[in-house]
Amino acid sequence: MLSAAYITDHMKVHSQGPNHICELCNKGFTTAAYLRVHAVKDHGLSAPRVERFLCKLCGVHCKTPAQLNGHLQTHAGAGAGAGEGAGAAPAEAQPLR
């Protein structure tokens, strides 16, 4: 039996054009995950790392600048003993390298 999530994802194959294009061979894929699998299998590339954003106050990794800014709000107004920088204004989101 197939899950509803799988069916929904699979139906994109039939209803949407390929939105993720391989830069090496111009083959199109309906999802970023399918493109990553193609890059690994057909071109021998290692799976690309998802860019993440690091909280400079506690080291938490976030996927987007918006998530990091939301996380930084957890440091605002923190009580004593929360660590250096607690209560400081949110810093600019910086991608990890």
Side-chain angles (χ1 to χ4, degrees):
M1 186 157 251
L2 302 174
S3 71
Y6 173 83
I7 298 288
T8 301
D9 186 48
H10 176 73
M11 291 308 293
K12 291 178 184 177
V13 172
H14 303 290
S15 64
Q16 297 178 1
N19 296 326
H20 304 275
I21 309 298
C22 176
E23 294 178 358
L24 299 174
C25 67
N26 292 322
K27 188 171 182 179
F29 298 90
T30 55
T31 68
Y34 294 153
L35 174 59
R36 283 191 298 272
V37 169
H38 162 77
V40 171
K41 289 176 72 176
D42 293 354
H43 299 299
L45 301 176
S46 61
R49 292 177 53 133
V50 175
E51 190 170 87
R52 299 201 184 264
F53 297 85
L54 177 67
C55 174
K56 293 179 181 178
L57 300 176
C58 69
V60 165
H61 296 245
C62 297
K63 291 182 181 178
T64 67
Q67 283 180 340
L68 178 59
N69 286 333
H71 165 76
L72 287 169
Q73 295 303 314
T74 66
H75 293 294
E84 185 178 337
E92 286 293 314
Q94 297 295 321
L96 296 177
R97 300 283 176 202

